[in-house]
Amino acid sequence: SYPDYENAAMGVGGAGGSASRYSLSTRSDLSLGSRSSQPGGPLHHPAGGAKSSATVSRNLNRFSTFVKSGGEAFVLGEASGFVKDGDKLCVVLGSYGPEWQENPYPFQCSIEDPTKQTKFKGMKSYIAYKLVPSHTGQQVNRRYKHFDWLYGRLVEKFPVISVPHLPEKQATGRFEEDFISKRRKGLAWWMDHMCSHPVLAQCDAFQHFLTCPSTDEKAWKQGKRRAEKDEMVGANFFLTISVPAGGPAVLDLQEVESKVDGFKSFTKKMDESTIQLNQTVNEFARKQVAGFKKEYQKVGHSFRGLSQAFEMDQQAFSVGLNQAIAFTGEAYDAIGELFADQPRQDLDPVMDLLALYQGHLANFPDIIHVQKGALTKVKESKRHVEEGKMEIQKADGIQDRCNIISFATLAEIHHFHRIRVRDFKSQMQHFLQQQILFFQKVTQKLEEALHKYDNV
């Protein structure tokens, strides 16, 4: 669920005071960058202002995502560290606004052939998946626990990026064929979204996961330790983000706030609709597997009963009719089987996609919380400047760092929409193509039965 930002700045300017409320910004007083060109000009201390000693307060809730992610410490200027060139994450201005710089070396990775393996002389069993990244062509084997480790590292490192959720764990039935097949499909979707993300795809931990030889346990542990000792996490992560500077790259905070609020409303509505669609599709699939199959086969059984009754007439000229009716019964039996098998082809893939996106939608409240928290600090610093309690340079720094978080948030929103359009276009095409093939098969069965009556 989404946090309530009405009191996000509680403790700012006095507990419960009007200054602590999170209100809409205005274009003239909150634009970043070219502040002196705005209608109100730059922020100035009032004449005879008080001593510049105020600081932006810390959130009282130390368990909020804004605090735990390191966003607060970064905005307040408490982050410091050396950023290597390989750690820099670039946001660029595209046709539709901020977006992550594309991966110059895009790749995909297949997940195939889940096989049951053992260790400790057969005392422990597990399923290993064969991964083949296109940029190396080298096969590696990974267990679910390896995916789970990687997911944990990525979530810790990237607070403003929606790391796709893994398929859920299961305590029992882990070696059943249906479960293994479903998990493999879920992992394939997960892998596709990892490889498609310009930032996640190039992350060192992910590349280690994809490329470290399965047989080199020492190299795996070394890479694992490097990832776990990564210093560019928390507040330091935001130091790695590089954004455009000056000119058209200036972000207006009112526009940013409007876009983020619009996206927040969008994700809530999408979440509701995906839950409803998932329930509807799941119920429809259940009816096809059990109800429709049973009903069609009941019709088939009744036609065969009629044929058997007609056979008792012992008339030679009715043999063709009896056989045709019996064939019609068999056709309805076959159609029942087609209904039972069809969800695997069209409805199950839709539910797999919806499950993946429900994970993304669950991520965005925290991402938005970080951006909203940064905006709140900007507003507090602006008020301190107007009251003559804070130096303009210090407030500028807070605004600039908020600008970085805003760029990253908008870039992530852009990526989500771009990949969403790609995925749902492809999945809806696949669904309708499979539906057409299904009804063509049903039509073929009925036509075959119809032709049996031609020579009666």
Side-chain angles (χ1 to χ4, degrees):
S1 62
Y2 285 84
D4 178 9
Y5 294 101
E6 195 69 19
N7 297 308
M10 197 66 178
V12 178
S18 60
S20 71
R21 296 182 63 80
Y22 186 73
S23 58
L24 288 174
S25 59
T26 59
R27 180 183 298 270
S28 63
D29 63 10
L30 278 177
S31 289
L32 291 177
S34 304
R35 299 182 183 88
S36 60
S37 65
Q38 295 299 329
L43 297 175
H44 293 289
H45 301 304
K51 183 181 179 182
S52 301
S53 60
T55 59
V56 174
S57 65
R58 295 176 177 274
N59 283 22
L60 294 179
N61 179 10
R62 306 311 295 168
F63 296 99
S64 72
T65 304
F66 180 51
V67 174
K68 292 193 298 181
S69 68
E72 181 188 64
F74 171 72
V75 170
L76 298 183
E78 297 172 359
S80 62
F82 175 73
V83 181
K84 296 179 291 185
D85 287 342
D87 289 332
K88 291 181 180 178
L89 309 176
C90 294
V91 179
V92 298
L93 281 178
S95 302
Y96 301 98
E99 57 186 65
W100 296 113
Q101 188 174 59
E102 288 296 325
N103 182 359
Y105 306 105
F107 64 93
Q108 293 297 319
C109 180
S110 63
I111 300 181
E112 303 293 345
D113 301 337
T115 56
K116 186 176 181 180
Q117 298 183 4
T118 61
K119 60 188 302 186
F120 303 132
K121 297 182 179 180
M123 295 179 63
K124 183 176 180 60
S125 300
Y126 59 90
I127 300 297
Y129 300 86
K130 182 176 77 174
L131 279 57
V132 183
S134 62
H135 63 315
T136 67
Q138 299 297 314
Q139 174 187 330
V140 296
N141 296 320
R142 297 288 182 256
R143 297 171 56 184
Y144 183 85
K145 76 169 190 177
H146 298 138
F147 285 89
D148 196 43
W149 168 81
L150 175 62
Y151 173 78
R153 298 281 67 74
L154 297 175
V155 169
E156 180 185 13
K157 181 171 176 64
F158 298 112
V160 292
I161 290 177
S162 178
V163 180
H165 288 203
L166 289 168
E168 292 183 355
K169 296 179 180 180
Q170 183 167 311
T172 60
R174 291 182 296 119
F175 302 113
E176 294 178 2
E177 185 175 340
D178 285 349
F179 172 75
I180 293 172
S181 175
K182 183 174 179 61
R183 173 174 276 186
R184 189 203 66 78
K185 292 175 183 176
L187 290 175
W189 268 117
W190 181 88
M191 182 63 73
D192 176 76
H193 273 218
M194 287 294 301
C195 296
S196 299
H197 197 289
V199 175
L200 297 178
Q202 300 180 78
C203 171
D204 289 343
F206 184 48
Q207 287 298 320
H208 174 65
F209 173 83
L210 293 177
T211 60
C212 183
S214 311
T215 55
D216 195 338
E217 187 70 18
K218 182 178 179 181
W220 170 259
K221 289 183 177 179
Q222 288 175 341
K224 189 168 176 281
R225 281 194 294 270
R226 278 197 305 272
E228 291 167 352
K229 293 180 179 179
D230 186 359
E231 295 181 354
M232 293 295 114
V233 298
N236 285 351
F237 161 76
F238 296 98
L239 296 173
T240 67
I241 300 174
S242 172
V243 302
V250 174
L251 287 181
D252 182 283
L253 292 193
Q254 184 178 6
E255 284 188 18
V256 173
E257 188 168 38
S258 177
K259 288 181 179 179
V260 172
D261 285 343
F263 182 71
K264 173 182 171 181
S265 299
F266 168 84
T267 54
K268 291 175 73 173
K269 186 65 175 177
M270 182 178 173
D271 189 43
E272 293 169 2
S273 64
T274 54
I275 291 173
Q276 181 182 15
L277 178 58
N278 189 63
Q279 291 172 343
T280 302
V281 169
N282 187 59
E283 178 65 15
F284 188 49
R286 188 190 64 78
K287 289 179 178 178
Q288 286 192 215
V289 171
F292 291 2
K293 175 182 177 180
K294 182 179 179 181
E295 294 302 318
Y296 270 87
Q297 292 184 343
K298 280 174 64 176
V299 173
H301 178 75
S302 298
F303 277 134
R304 289 196 303 275
L306 179 63
S307 172
Q308 292 168 2
F310 281 4
E311 288 175 359
M312 296 180 68
D313 68 355
Q314 298 181 352
Q315 300 295 323
F317 57 79
S318 68
V319 171
L321 175 64
N322 299 341
Q323 291 175 343
I325 294 176
F327 188 87
T328 302
E330 293 171 0
Y332 270 76
D333 279 347
I335 291 172
E337 292 292 346
L338 288 175
F339 269 103
D341 292 339
Q342 187 59 22
R344 296 176 182 269
Q345 309 303 321
D346 51 23
L347 297 177
D348 285 358
V350 170
M351 288 189 283
D352 289 340
L353 180 64
L354 293 177
L356 179 73
Y357 272 86
Q358 284 173 338
H360 279 301
L361 293 170
N363 291 339
F364 275 104
D366 283 346
I367 293 173
I368 290 174
H369 184 73
V370 173
Q371 199 274 335
K372 291 283 191 179
L375 281 176
T376 301
K377 300 305 180 189
V378 170
K379 293 174 183 181
E380 185 185 352
S381 67
K382 174 181 175 293
R383 192 182 69 253
H384 284 325
V385 169
E386 291 172 344
E387 294 172 352
K389 297 178 180 179
M390 179 178 286
E391 295 177 355
I392 185 67
Q393 292 84 356
K394 188 171 183 179
D396 284 349
I398 291 174
Q399 286 195 346
D400 290 341
R401 290 186 288 275
C402 176
N403 193 47
I404 290 174
I405 292 179
S406 296
F407 261 107
T409 303
L410 293 179
E412 188 61 15
I413 289 174
H414 170 79
H415 176 77
F416 174 82
H417 283 313
R418 187 171 63 83
I419 215 75
R420 172 183 59 86
V421 170
R422 182 204 71 173
D423 288 344
F424 278 87
K425 172 189 174 182
S426 173
Q427 196 59 63
M428 290 306 299
Q429 288 176 325
H430 175 80
F431 173 76
L432 292 173
Q433 289 165 352
Q434 290 299 317
Q435 284 277 288
I436 291 169
L437 288 173
F438 168 70
F439 284 108
Q440 286 175 341
K441 292 177 184 177
V442 172
T443 301
Q444 182 182 358
K445 292 294 182 183
L446 295 175
E447 287 177 341
E448 289 173 356
L450 177 61
H451 291 321
K452 295 296 181 181
Y453 295 88
D454 291 346
N455 298 320
V456 172

